[in-house]
Each structure stands twice: as structure tokens, then as C-alpha cells.
Amino acid sequence: MVVIQPYSYKFQDQLVALILHIQQQEFAIPITLEDQPDLLNISQFYQHGKGNFWVALDGDQVVGTIALLDIGGHQAALRKMFVHQHYRGKQIGCGQRLLNQLLQEASLQKITTIYLGTTEFFKAAHRFYEKNGFVEIEPCQLPAHFPLVEVDTKFYQYQVTAPVADASVAVV
């Protein structure tokens, strides 16, 4: 059973390996660890203000990640959503559970709007975000304080409403 819990340093190496594998090997995106210094400083970069970083675990193995970055003004950025290929899809629901955790936390933290950037390569992710109420926007519609990533070419916005109830989310 997959369990969602907040990031702690003991997951550092596994989550970096997972994210880089998906970016570089699965999707051939020309991005390196050096291009993503936030991955080496997760607690200080994400786990402050209204933000957080979660990992999905199958036993002691990291199989997914998601981050909520507080960008001020009751706004946040969804970052670093990655799910191991064997844990994707409706049957296991790992990605949905990660997103539900993030949306629930955003609502509790009184965040009103969530933005995200992604690449053209992540077609399944586009469908997933859209199915979950994210609306595509133009880059000029992003707030000035949104952290742009060079490889991102497609952007979404989500209006947060009431808390998301999901009994299947187990937070440790």
C-alpha cells in the first residue's frame, strides 16, 4: 500500500534518483541536478510558510513526489510532481493521492490559487491536471513571483475551494 508523508532528509537520494530518471531517461528532457538546486535543499526551499513537500512510499521505497511552494499572496506553485511509471494510472492512484494531499493542504493553509508549469512532453500529466480542474493559462497570466523553470512551456492555474476530503490519504 502506498503511503503519503511529508519529506524528510532520509528520502533525499531516492527522490533525486526518481525525478532525474523520469526527466532524463523516460522523457529525454535536458535537465540536470545542477539545474534544480531546490532538490538539494528541499526542507529550506519548500517546507516553510504555507508550503510542503510530500513523498509517496511503497514500504521504504519512494515512488512519487509532489511539492507546494508558497509564493506569497495566498498563492502557491505545484512543483516536482513525479510518479514512478509502475505506480501511474487510476488502478493504483498514486498521483491522484499525491494531488489530493496537496490540494487539501492548500485549502487548510488558505491558499486561493495554485499555478504550475510543465513541459510539452508530459501529455498524460496535462490530461491529469485538466481532469482535476486545472485550467491552461498563458505565461503572461502567471504572477510576477511565480518561479519559472527553463524547460516549462505549458502553464496551468487552479482555484482552491473547500477542503478536499479523501479518506484514502494516509499521512504519517
Side-chain angles (χ1 to χ4, degrees):
M1 176 174 163
V2 174
V3 175
I4 311 298
Q5 72 177 57
Y7 165 84
S8 76
Y9 186 74
K10 67 183 175 182
F11 303 120
Q12 178 73 33
D13 293 341
Q14 283 190 59
L15 79 85
V16 167
L18 173 71
I19 291 171
L20 288 177
H21 175 80
I22 292 169
Q23 291 171 325
Q24 297 172 347
Q25 305 303 312
E26 285 187 51
F27 293 95
I29 296 172
I31 191 168
T32 66
L33 181 57
E34 292 73 28
D35 296 326
Q36 305 171 85
D38 57 314
L39 289 179
L40 297 176
N41 205 1
I42 288 172
S43 61
Q44 292 175 338
F45 194 84
Y46 293 105
Q47 295 179 310
H48 66 86
K50 298 177 181 187
N52 209 339
F53 194 107
W54 296 270
V55 294
L57 299 169
D58 184 356
D60 61 355
Q61 187 67 36
V62 174
V63 297
T65 65
I66 195 167
L68 184 68
L69 177 64
D70 183 352
I71 60 174
H74 299 285
Q75 297 176 327
L78 186 161
R79 305 269 312 253
K80 302 302 181 193
M81 183 164 188
F82 292 96
V83 177
H84 187 283
Q85 63 185 5
H86 297 301
Y87 291 83
R88 294 179 196 150
K90 284 184 181 181
Q91 193 165 19
I92 296 175
C94 183
Q96 188 65 58
R97 291 178 58 207
L98 282 163
L99 181 61
N100 288 352
Q101 177 65 45
L102 179 135
L103 295 176
Q104 182 177 39
E105 183 68 20
S107 181
L108 292 171
Q109 294 292 335
K110 309 270 190 278
I111 290 171
T112 59
T113 312
I114 299 172
Y115 297 92
L116 71 88
T118 187
T119 75
E120 289 296 325
F121 301 107
F122 294 159
K123 302 291 187 196
H126 304 163
R127 290 188 298 276
F128 174 77
Y129 293 131
E130 291 164 7
K131 179 187 82 158
N132 280 282
F134 284 80
V135 177
E136 187 174 358
I137 61 172
E138 294 298 319
C140 64
Q141 294 174 275
L142 293 167
H145 47 282
F146 179 81
L148 289 171
V149 176
E150 188 175 325
V151 297
D152 288 346
T153 56
K154 196 169 179 82
F155 301 92
Y156 288 91
Q157 176 182 11
Y158 179 88
Q159 295 300 319
V160 181
T161 57
V164 176
D166 182 2
S168 68
V169 174
V171 179
V172 177

